[in-house]
Amino acid sequence: MLIRYKKALEKIAMGLLSFMPNEKDVKKLTETIHSYENDDNWVLYLWKKNDEYVGIVGLVTDQNNTATIQHVSVVPSYRGEGVAKEMLQEIGELGQYENVRATDETRQLVQKCINCIDKKTDE
């Protein structure tokens, strides 16, 4: 289940974001979290499964209702269980975004998940 980020989840969000290769540094993590807190175009969602936060997805939106996925991360013990696919699928189902695209950093995972979603709907 997607949960919109709020300040009370800051430490959990920082922990989940720290699994991203470019978010290992505490200073960088802090800057990223502050961007999600202070910029209306930056939107962060946490994924809760079985009463545990196991994933995170961060978007930057533009005036055309296009969302760029700049952060996608899943707790290592939950990888391979389709968590990223479920998060991205639910982002699409929110109906808030005309288009969803990826950055260079998130492209490979996003394309893999979207291909899984497409295959599932083709069956």
Side-chain angles (χ1 to χ4, degrees), residues 1-19 29 32-33 36-37 42-59 71-75 83-84 86-91 94 97:
M1 166 171 61
L2 277 181
I3 308 285
R4 179 95 185 241
Y5 172 80
K6 54 189 170 215
K7 183 76 171 160
L9 299 172
E10 181 179 38
K11 289 182 180 174
I12 294 167
M14 286 179 72
L16 291 166
L17 283 172
S18 72
F19 293 118
L29 267 172
T32 300
I33 286 292
Y36 282 114
E37 290 174 349
W42 287 51
V43 183
L44 190 63
Y45 295 97
L46 287 79
W47 185 259
K48 195 171 188 176
K49 183 175 183 175
N50 301 329
D51 295 326
E52 189 176 356
Y53 291 99
V54 299
I56 198 162
V57 59
L59 314 166
H71 296 102
V72 179
S73 180
V74 176
V75 172
V83 172
E86 289 179 88
M87 287 191 300
L88 294 175
Q89 190 169 7
E90 198 159 316
I91 290 290
L94 289 174
Y97 310 109

CSV table of all heavy atoms in Angstrom, one decimal, residues 1-19 29 32-33 36-37 42-59 71-75 83-84 86-91 94 97:
chain,number,residue,atom,x,y,z
A,1,MET,N,0.8,-1.2,0.0
A,1,MET,CA,0.0,0.0,0.0
A,1,MET,C,0.9,1.2,0.0
A,1,MET,O,1.8,1.3,0.8
A,1,MET,CB,-0.9,0.0,1.2
A,1,MET,CG,-1.6,1.3,1.5
A,1,MET,SD,-2.8,1.2,2.8
A,1,MET,CE,-1.9,0.7,4.3
A,2,LEU,N,0.6,2.2,-0.9
A,2,LEU,CA,1.3,3.4,-1.0
A,2,LEU,C,0.9,4.4,0.2
A,2,LEU,O,-0.3,4.5,0.4
A,2,LEU,CB,1.1,4.2,-2.3
A,2,LEU,CG,1.9,3.7,-3.5
A,2,LEU,CD1,1.5,4.6,-4.7
A,2,LEU,CD2,3.4,3.8,-3.3
A,3,ILE,N,1.9,4.9,0.8
A,3,ILE,CA,1.7,5.9,1.9
A,3,ILE,C,2.4,7.2,1.5
A,3,ILE,O,3.6,7.1,1.3
A,3,ILE,CB,2.2,5.4,3.2
A,3,ILE,CG1,1.7,4.0,3.6
A,3,ILE,CG2,2.0,6.4,4.3
A,3,ILE,CD1,0.3,3.9,4.0
A,4,ARG,N,1.7,8.3,1.4
A,4,ARG,CA,2.4,9.6,1.1
A,4,ARG,C,3.3,10.0,2.3
A,4,ARG,O,3.0,9.8,3.4
A,4,ARG,CB,1.3,10.6,0.9
A,4,ARG,CG,1.9,12.0,0.5
A,4,ARG,CD,1.9,12.2,-1.0
A,4,ARG,NE,2.5,13.5,-1.3
A,4,ARG,CZ,1.9,14.5,-1.9
A,4,ARG,NH1,0.7,14.3,-2.4
A,4,ARG,NH2,2.6,15.6,-2.2
A,5,TYR,N,4.5,10.4,1.9
A,5,TYR,CA,5.5,10.8,2.9
A,5,TYR,C,5.0,11.9,3.8
A,5,TYR,O,4.4,12.9,3.3
A,5,TYR,CB,6.8,11.2,2.2
A,5,TYR,CG,7.8,11.8,3.1
A,5,TYR,CD1,8.6,11.0,3.9
A,5,TYR,CD2,8.0,13.2,3.3
A,5,TYR,CE1,9.5,11.6,4.8
A,5,TYR,CE2,8.9,13.8,4.1
A,5,TYR,CZ,9.7,12.9,4.9
A,5,TYR,OH,10.5,13.5,5.8
A,6,LYS,N,5.4,11.8,5.0
A,6,LYS,CA,5.2,12.9,6.0
A,6,LYS,C,6.4,12.9,6.9
A,6,LYS,O,7.1,12.0,7.0
A,6,LYS,CB,3.8,12.8,6.7
A,6,LYS,CG,3.6,11.5,7.4
A,6,LYS,CD,2.2,11.4,8.0
A,6,LYS,CE,2.0,10.0,8.4
A,6,LYS,NZ,0.7,9.5,8.2
A,7,LYS,N,6.6,14.1,7.6
A,7,LYS,CA,7.8,14.3,8.4
A,7,LYS,C,8.0,13.2,9.4
A,7,LYS,O,9.1,12.8,9.7
A,7,LYS,CB,7.7,15.7,9.1
A,7,LYS,CG,8.8,16.1,9.9
A,7,LYS,CD,10.0,16.5,9.0
A,7,LYS,CE,11.1,17.1,9.9
A,7,LYS,NZ,12.4,17.1,9.3
A,8,ALA,N,6.9,12.6,10.0
A,8,ALA,CA,7.1,11.6,11.0
A,8,ALA,C,7.8,10.3,10.4
A,8,ALA,O,8.3,9.5,11.2
A,8,ALA,CB,5.7,11.2,11.5
A,9,LEU,N,7.8,10.2,9.1
A,9,LEU,CA,8.4,9.0,8.5
A,9,LEU,C,9.8,9.3,8.0
A,9,LEU,O,10.4,8.5,7.2
A,9,LEU,CB,7.5,8.5,7.3
A,9,LEU,CG,6.1,8.1,7.7
A,9,LEU,CD1,5.3,7.8,6.5
A,9,LEU,CD2,6.2,6.8,8.6
A,10,GLU,N,10.4,10.4,8.4
A,10,GLU,CA,11.7,10.9,7.9
A,10,GLU,C,12.8,9.8,8.0
A,10,GLU,O,13.5,9.5,7.0
A,10,GLU,CB,12.1,12.2,8.5
A,10,GLU,CG,13.4,12.7,8.0
A,10,GLU,CD,13.8,14.0,8.7
A,10,GLU,OE1,13.6,14.2,9.9
A,10,GLU,OE2,14.4,14.9,8.0
A,11,LYS,N,13.0,9.3,9.1
A,11,LYS,CA,14.1,8.3,9.3
A,11,LYS,C,13.9,7.0,8.5
A,11,LYS,O,14.8,6.5,8.0
A,11,LYS,CB,14.3,8.0,10.8
A,11,LYS,CG,14.9,9.1,11.6
A,11,LYS,CD,15.1,8.8,13.0
A,11,LYS,CE,15.7,10.0,13.7
A,11,LYS,NZ,15.8,9.8,15.1
A,12,ILE,N,12.6,6.6,8.4
A,12,ILE,CA,12.3,5.4,7.6
A,12,ILE,C,12.6,5.7,6.2
A,12,ILE,O,13.2,4.9,5.5
A,12,ILE,CB,10.8,5.0,7.8
A,12,ILE,CG1,10.6,4.5,9.3
A,12,ILE,CG2,10.4,3.9,6.8
A,12,ILE,CD1,9.2,4.3,9.7
A,13,ALA,N,12.1,6.9,5.7
A,13,ALA,CA,12.4,7.3,4.3
A,13,ALA,C,13.8,7.4,4.0
A,13,ALA,O,14.3,6.9,2.9
A,13,ALA,CB,11.7,8.6,4.0
A,14,MET,N,14.6,8.0,4.9
A,14,MET,CA,16.1,8.1,4.7
A,14,MET,C,16.7,6.7,4.6
A,14,MET,O,17.6,6.5,3.8
A,14,MET,CB,16.7,9.0,5.8
A,14,MET,CG,16.4,10.4,5.6
A,14,MET,SD,17.1,11.5,6.9
A,14,MET,CE,18.8,11.4,6.4
A,15,GLY,N,16.3,5.8,5.5
A,15,GLY,CA,16.8,4.4,5.4
A,15,GLY,C,16.5,3.8,4.1
A,15,GLY,O,17.4,3.1,3.5
A,16,LEU,N,15.3,3.9,3.6
A,16,LEU,CA,14.9,3.3,2.3
A,16,LEU,C,15.6,3.9,1.2
A,16,LEU,O,16.1,3.3,0.2
A,16,LEU,CB,13.4,3.4,2.1
A,16,LEU,CG,12.5,2.5,3.1
A,16,LEU,CD1,11.1,2.9,3.0
A,16,LEU,CD2,12.7,1.0,2.7
A,17,LEU,N,15.8,5.3,1.2
A,17,LEU,CA,16.5,6.0,0.1
A,17,LEU,C,18.0,5.6,0.1
A,17,LEU,O,18.6,5.6,-0.9
A,17,LEU,CB,16.3,7.5,0.3
A,17,LEU,CG,15.0,8.1,-0.2
A,17,LEU,CD1,14.9,9.6,0.2
A,17,LEU,CD2,14.8,7.9,-1.7
A,18,SER,N,18.5,5.2,1.3
A,18,SER,CA,19.9,4.9,1.3
A,18,SER,C,20.3,3.7,0.5
A,18,SER,O,21.5,3.4,0.3
A,18,SER,CB,20.4,4.8,2.8
A,18,SER,OG,19.9,3.6,3.4
A,19,PHE,N,19.3,2.9,0.1
A,19,PHE,CA,19.6,1.7,-0.7
A,19,PHE,C,19.9,2.1,-2.2
A,19,PHE,O,20.3,1.3,-3.0
A,19,PHE,CB,18.5,0.7,-0.7
A,19,PHE,CG,18.3,0.0,0.7
A,19,PHE,CD1,17.1,0.2,1.4
A,19,PHE,CD2,19.3,-0.7,1.2
A,19,PHE,CE1,17.0,-0.4,2.6
A,19,PHE,CE2,19.2,-1.3,2.4
A,19,PHE,CZ,18.0,-1.2,3.2
A,29,LEU,N,21.5,12.5,1.4
A,29,LEU,CA,20.2,12.0,1.8
A,29,LEU,C,19.4,13.1,2.5
A,29,LEU,O,18.2,13.2,2.2
A,29,LEU,CB,20.4,10.8,2.9
A,29,LEU,CG,20.4,9.4,2.4
A,29,LEU,CD1,20.8,8.5,3.5
A,29,LEU,CD2,19.1,9.0,1.7
A,32,THR,N,18.1,15.4,-0.1
A,32,THR,CA,17.0,14.8,-0.9
A,32,THR,C,15.7,14.9,-0.1
A,32,THR,O,14.7,15.2,-0.6
A,32,THR,CB,17.4,13.4,-1.3
A,32,THR,OG1,18.6,13.4,-2.1
A,32,THR,CG2,16.3,12.7,-2.0
A,33,ILE,N,15.8,14.5,1.2
A,33,ILE,CA,14.5,14.5,2.0
A,33,ILE,C,14.0,15.9,2.1
A,33,ILE,O,12.8,16.1,2.0
A,33,ILE,CB,14.8,13.9,3.4
A,33,ILE,CG1,14.9,12.4,3.3
A,33,ILE,CG2,13.8,14.3,4.4
A,33,ILE,CD1,13.7,11.6,3.0
A,36,TYR,N,12.0,16.8,-0.9
A,36,TYR,CA,10.7,16.1,-0.9
A,36,TYR,C,9.7,16.9,0.1
A,36,TYR,O,8.5,16.9,-0.1
A,36,TYR,CB,10.8,14.6,-0.6
A,36,TYR,CG,11.2,13.8,-1.7
A,36,TYR,CD1,12.4,13.1,-1.8
A,36,TYR,CD2,10.4,13.7,-2.9
A,36,TYR,CE1,12.8,12.4,-2.9
A,36,TYR,CE2,10.7,12.9,-4.0
A,36,TYR,CZ,11.9,12.3,-3.9
A,36,TYR,OH,12.3,11.5,-5.0
A,37,GLU,N,10.3,17.4,1.2
A,37,GLU,CA,9.5,18.1,2.2
A,37,GLU,C,9.1,19.5,1.7
A,37,GLU,O,8.0,20.0,2.0
A,37,GLU,CB,10.2,18.2,3.5
A,37,GLU,CG,10.4,16.9,4.2
A,37,GLU,CD,11.3,17.0,5.4
A,37,GLU,OE1,11.9,18.0,5.7
A,37,GLU,OE2,11.3,16.0,6.2
A,42,TRP,N,8.0,17.8,-5.8
A,42,TRP,CA,8.7,16.5,-5.4
A,42,TRP,C,7.7,15.8,-4.5
A,42,TRP,O,7.2,16.3,-3.5
A,42,TRP,CB,9.9,16.8,-4.6
A,42,TRP,CG,11.1,17.3,-5.4
A,42,TRP,CD1,11.1,18.4,-6.3
A,42,TRP,CD2,12.4,16.8,-5.4
A,42,TRP,NE1,12.3,18.5,-6.9
A,42,TRP,CE2,13.2,17.6,-6.3
A,42,TRP,CE3,13.1,15.8,-4.7
A,42,TRP,CZ2,14.5,17.4,-6.6
A,42,TRP,CZ3,14.4,15.6,-4.9
A,42,TRP,CH2,15.1,16.4,-5.9
A,43,VAL,N,7.4,14.5,-4.9
A,43,VAL,CA,6.4,13.7,-4.2
A,43,VAL,C,7.1,12.4,-3.8
A,43,VAL,O,7.6,11.7,-4.7
A,43,VAL,CB,5.2,13.5,-5.0
A,43,VAL,CG1,4.1,12.7,-4.3
A,43,VAL,CG2,4.6,14.8,-5.5
A,44,LEU,N,6.9,12.0,-2.6
A,44,LEU,CA,7.6,10.8,-2.1
A,44,LEU,C,6.5,9.8,-1.5
A,44,LEU,O,5.7,10.3,-0.7
A,44,LEU,CB,8.6,11.1,-1.0
A,44,LEU,CG,9.5,10.0,-0.5
A,44,LEU,CD1,10.4,9.5,-1.7
A,44,LEU,CD2,10.5,10.5,0.6
A,45,TYR,N,6.5,8.6,-1.9
A,45,TYR,CA,5.6,7.6,-1.3
A,45,TYR,C,6.4,6.4,-0.7
A,45,TYR,O,7.4,6.0,-1.3
A,45,TYR,CB,4.7,7.0,-2.4
A,45,TYR,CG,3.8,8.0,-3.1
A,45,TYR,CD1,4.1,8.6,-4.3
A,45,TYR,CD2,2.6,8.2,-2.5
A,45,TYR,CE1,3.3,9.5,-4.9
A,45,TYR,CE2,1.7,9.1,-3.1
A,45,TYR,CZ,2.0,9.7,-4.3
A,45,TYR,OH,1.2,10.6,-4.9
A,46,LEU,N,6.0,5.9,0.4
A,46,LEU,CA,6.6,4.7,1.0
A,46,LEU,C,5.6,3.6,0.7
A,46,LEU,O,4.4,3.8,0.6
A,46,LEU,CB,6.8,4.9,2.5
A,46,LEU,CG,7.9,5.8,2.9
A,46,LEU,CD1,7.5,7.3,2.7
A,46,LEU,CD2,8.4,5.6,4.3
A,47,TRP,N,6.1,2.4,0.6
A,47,TRP,CA,5.3,1.2,0.4
A,47,TRP,C,5.3,0.4,1.7
A,47,TRP,O,6.3,0.0,2.2
A,47,TRP,CB,5.9,0.4,-0.8
A,47,TRP,CG,5.0,-0.8,-1.1
A,47,TRP,CD1,5.3,-2.1,-0.8
A,47,TRP,CD2,3.9,-0.8,-1.9
A,47,TRP,NE1,4.3,-2.9,-1.3
A,47,TRP,CE2,3.4,-2.1,-2.0
A,47,TRP,CE3,3.1,0.2,-2.6
A,47,TRP,CZ2,2.3,-2.5,-2.7
A,47,TRP,CZ3,2.0,-0.2,-3.3
A,47,TRP,CH2,1.6,-1.5,-3.3
A,48,LYS,N,4.1,0.1,2.2
A,48,LYS,CA,3.9,-0.7,3.4
A,48,LYS,C,3.3,-2.0,3.1
A,48,LYS,O,2.4,-2.1,2.3
A,48,LYS,CB,3.0,0.1,4.3
A,48,LYS,CG,3.0,-0.4,5.7
A,48,LYS,CD,2.2,0.5,6.6
A,48,LYS,CE,2.4,0.2,8.1
A,48,LYS,NZ,1.7,1.1,9.0
A,49,LYS,N,4.0,-3.1,3.6
A,49,LYS,CA,3.6,-4.4,3.3
A,49,LYS,C,3.7,-5.2,4.7
A,49,LYS,O,4.7,-5.1,5.3
A,49,LYS,CB,4.5,-5.1,2.3
A,49,LYS,CG,4.1,-6.5,1.9
A,49,LYS,CD,5.0,-7.0,0.8
A,49,LYS,CE,4.6,-8.4,0.4
A,49,LYS,NZ,5.3,-8.8,-0.8
A,50,ASN,N,2.6,-5.8,5.1
A,50,ASN,CA,2.6,-6.5,6.4
A,50,ASN,C,3.1,-5.7,7.5
A,50,ASN,O,3.9,-6.1,8.3
A,50,ASN,CB,3.4,-7.8,6.3
A,50,ASN,CG,2.9,-8.7,5.2
A,50,ASN,OD1,1.8,-8.8,4.9
A,50,ASN,ND2,3.9,-9.4,4.6
A,51,ASP,N,2.5,-4.4,7.6
A,51,ASP,CA,2.9,-3.5,8.7
A,51,ASP,C,4.3,-3.1,8.7
A,51,ASP,O,4.9,-2.7,9.8
A,51,ASP,CB,2.5,-4.1,10.1
A,51,ASP,CG,1.0,-4.2,10.2
A,51,ASP,OD1,0.2,-3.4,9.7
A,51,ASP,OD2,0.5,-5.2,10.9
A,52,GLU,N,5.0,-3.2,7.6
A,52,GLU,CA,6.4,-2.9,7.5
A,52,GLU,C,6.7,-2.0,6.3
A,52,GLU,O,6.1,-2.3,5.2
A,52,GLU,CB,7.3,-4.2,7.5
A,52,GLU,CG,8.7,-4.0,7.6
A,52,GLU,CD,9.5,-5.3,7.6
A,52,GLU,OE1,8.8,-6.4,7.6
A,52,GLU,OE2,10.7,-5.3,7.7
A,53,TYR,N,7.5,-1.0,6.4
A,53,TYR,CA,7.8,-0.2,5.3
A,53,TYR,C,9.0,-0.9,4.5
A,53,TYR,O,10.0,-1.1,5.1
A,53,TYR,CB,8.2,1.2,5.7
A,53,TYR,CG,7.1,2.0,6.2
A,53,TYR,CD1,6.9,2.2,7.6
A,53,TYR,CD2,6.2,2.6,5.3
A,53,TYR,CE1,5.8,2.9,8.1
A,53,TYR,CE2,5.1,3.4,5.8
A,53,TYR,CZ,4.9,3.5,7.2
A,53,TYR,OH,3.8,4.2,7.7
A,54,VAL,N,8.7,-1.3,3.3
A,54,VAL,CA,9.7,-2.1,2.5
A,54,VAL,C,10.1,-1.4,1.2
A,54,VAL,O,11.0,-2.0,0.6
A,54,VAL,CB,9.1,-3.5,2.3
A,54,VAL,CG1,8.8,-4.2,3.6
A,54,VAL,CG2,7.9,-3.5,1.4
A,55,GLY,N,9.5,-0.3,0.8
A,55,GLY,CA,9.9,0.3,-0.4
A,55,GLY,C,9.6,1.8,-0.4
A,55,GLY,O,8.9,2.3,0.4
A,56,ILE,N,10.2,2.4,-1.4
A,56,ILE,CA,10.0,3.9,-1.6
A,56,ILE,C,10.1,4.3,-3.0
A,56,ILE,O,10.8,3.6,-3.8
A,56,ILE,CB,11.0,4.7,-0.7
A,56,ILE,CG1,10.6,6.1,-0.5
A,56,ILE,CG2,12.4,4.6,-1.3
A,56,ILE,CD1,11.3,6.8,0.7
A,57,VAL,N,9.3,5.2,-3.4
A,57,VAL,CA,9.3,5.7,-4.8
A,57,VAL,C,9.2,7.3,-4.7
A,57,VAL,O,8.3,7.8,-4.0
A,57,VAL,CB,8.3,5.1,-5.7
A,57,VAL,CG1,6.9,5.3,-5.2
A,57,VAL,CG2,8.4,5.5,-7.1
A,58,GLY,N,10.1,8.0,-5.4
A,58,GLY,CA,10.1,9.4,-5.4
A,58,GLY,C,9.9,10.0,-6.8
A,58,GLY,O,10.5,9.5,-7.7
A,59,LEU,N,9.0,10.9,-6.9
A,59,LEU,CA,8.7,11.5,-8.2
A,59,LEU,C,8.9,13.0,-8.2
A,59,LEU,O,8.8,13.7,-7.2
A,59,LEU,CB,7.2,11.3,-8.5
A,59,LEU,CG,6.6,9.9,-8.3
A,59,LEU,CD1,5.1,10.0,-8.3
A,59,LEU,CD2,7.1,9.0,-9.3
A,71,HIS,N,13.6,8.2,-7.7
A,71,HIS,CA,14.0,7.2,-6.7
A,71,HIS,C,13.0,6.0,-6.7
A,71,HIS,O,11.8,6.2,-6.6
A,71,HIS,CB,14.0,7.9,-5.3
A,71,HIS,CG,15.0,9.0,-5.2
A,71,HIS,ND1,14.6,10.3,-5.3
A,71,HIS,CD2,16.3,9.0,-5.0
A,71,HIS,CE1,15.7,11.1,-5.1
A,71,HIS,NE2,16.7,10.3,-5.0
A,72,VAL,N,13.6,4.8,-6.7
A,72,VAL,CA,12.9,3.6,-6.5
A,72,VAL,C,13.8,2.7,-5.7
A,72,VAL,O,14.9,2.4,-6.1
A,72,VAL,CB,12.5,2.9,-7.8
A,72,VAL,CG1,11.7,1.6,-7.5
A,72,VAL,CG2,11.7,3.7,-8.7
A,73,SER,N,13.4,2.2,-4.5
A,73,SER,CA,14.2,1.4,-3.7
A,73,SER,C,13.3,0.4,-2.9
A,73,SER,O,12.2,0.8,-2.5
A,73,SER,CB,15.0,2.3,-2.7
A,73,SER,OG,15.8,1.6,-1.9
A,74,VAL,N,13.9,-0.8,-2.7
A,74,VAL,CA,13.2,-1.8,-2.0
A,74,VAL,C,14.2,-2.4,-1.0
A,74,VAL,O,15.4,-2.6,-1.3
A,74,VAL,CB,12.7,-2.9,-2.9
A,74,VAL,CG1,12.1,-4.1,-2.2
A,74,VAL,CG2,11.7,-2.3,-3.9
A,75,VAL,N,13.8,-2.7,0.2
A,75,VAL,CA,14.6,-3.3,1.2
A,75,VAL,C,15.2,-4.6,0.6
A,75,VAL,O,14.4,-5.4,0.0
A,75,VAL,CB,13.8,-3.6,2.5
A,75,VAL,CG1,14.5,-4.5,3.5
A,75,VAL,CG2,13.3,-2.3,3.1
A,83,VAL,N,7.8,-6.0,-5.3
A,83,VAL,CA,7.4,-4.8,-4.6
A,83,VAL,C,7.6,-3.6,-5.5
A,83,VAL,O,6.6,-2.8,-5.5
A,83,VAL,CB,8.3,-4.7,-3.3
A,83,VAL,CG1,8.1,-3.3,-2.7
A,83,VAL,CG2,8.0,-5.8,-2.3
A,84,ALA,N,8.7,-3.5,-6.2
A,84,ALA,CA,8.8,-2.3,-7.1
A,84,ALA,C,7.7,-2.3,-8.2
A,84,ALA,O,7.2,-1.2,-8.5
A,84,ALA,CB,10.2,-2.3,-7.8
A,86,GLU,N,4.7,-3.5,-7.9
A,86,GLU,CA,3.5,-3.1,-7.3
A,86,GLU,C,3.4,-1.6,-7.0
A,86,GLU,O,2.4,-0.9,-7.2
A,86,GLU,CB,3.3,-3.8,-6.0
A,86,GLU,CG,3.0,-5.3,-6.1
A,86,GLU,CD,2.8,-6.0,-4.7
A,86,GLU,OE1,1.7,-6.0,-4.2
A,86,GLU,OE2,3.9,-6.5,-4.2
A,87,MET,N,4.5,-1.0,-6.6
A,87,MET,CA,4.6,0.4,-6.3
A,87,MET,C,4.4,1.2,-7.6
A,87,MET,O,3.5,2.1,-7.6
A,87,MET,CB,6.0,0.8,-5.7
A,87,MET,CG,6.2,0.4,-4.3
A,87,MET,SD,7.7,1.1,-3.5
A,87,MET,CE,9.0,0.6,-4.6
A,88,LEU,N,5.0,0.8,-8.6
A,88,LEU,CA,4.9,1.6,-9.9
A,88,LEU,C,3.5,1.4,-10.5
A,88,LEU,O,2.9,2.3,-11.0
A,88,LEU,CB,6.0,1.1,-10.9
A,88,LEU,CG,7.4,1.5,-10.4
A,88,LEU,CD1,8.4,0.9,-11.4
A,88,LEU,CD2,7.6,3.0,-10.3
A,89,GLN,N,3.0,0.2,-10.3
A,89,GLN,CA,1.6,0.0,-10.8
A,89,GLN,C,0.6,0.9,-10.1
A,89,GLN,O,-0.3,1.5,-10.7
A,89,GLN,CB,1.2,-1.5,-10.7
A,89,GLN,CG,0.0,-1.9,-11.4
A,89,GLN,CD,-0.2,-3.4,-11.4
A,89,GLN,OE1,0.5,-4.2,-10.8
A,89,GLN,NE2,-1.2,-3.9,-12.1
A,90,GLU,N,0.8,1.0,-8.8
A,90,GLU,CA,-0.2,1.8,-8.0
A,90,GLU,C,0.0,3.3,-8.3
A,90,GLU,O,-0.9,4.0,-8.3
A,90,GLU,CB,0.0,1.5,-6.5
A,90,GLU,CG,-1.2,2.0,-5.7
A,90,GLU,CD,-1.4,1.3,-4.4
A,90,GLU,OE1,-1.2,0.1,-4.2
A,90,GLU,OE2,-1.7,2.1,-3.4
A,91,ILE,N,1.3,3.7,-8.6
A,91,ILE,CA,1.5,5.1,-9.0
A,91,ILE,C,0.7,5.4,-10.2
A,91,ILE,O,0.0,6.4,-10.3
A,91,ILE,CB,3.0,5.3,-9.3
A,91,ILE,CG1,3.8,5.3,-8.0
A,91,ILE,CG2,3.2,6.7,-10.0
A,91,ILE,CD1,3.6,6.5,-7.0
A,94,LEU,N,-3.1,5.8,-9.5
A,94,LEU,CA,-3.5,7.0,-8.8
A,94,LEU,C,-4.3,7.9,-9.7
A,94,LEU,O,-5.1,8.7,-9.3
A,94,LEU,CB,-2.3,7.7,-8.2
A,94,LEU,CG,-1.6,7.1,-7.1
A,94,LEU,CD1,-0.3,7.9,-6.7
A,94,LEU,CD2,-2.5,7.0,-5.8
A,97,TYR,N,-1.2,11.4,-12.8
A,97,TYR,CA,-0.1,11.8,-13.8
A,97,TYR,C,-0.5,11.4,-15.2
A,97,TYR,O,-0.9,10.2,-15.4
A,97,TYR,CB,1.2,11.1,-13.3
A,97,TYR,CG,1.5,11.4,-11.9
A,97,TYR,CD1,1.4,10.3,-10.9
A,97,TYR,CD2,1.8,12.6,-11.4
A,97,TYR,CE1,1.6,10.6,-9.6
A,97,TYR,CE2,2.1,12.9,-10.1
A,97,TYR,CZ,2.0,11.8,-9.2
A,97,TYR,OH,2.2,12.1,-7.8
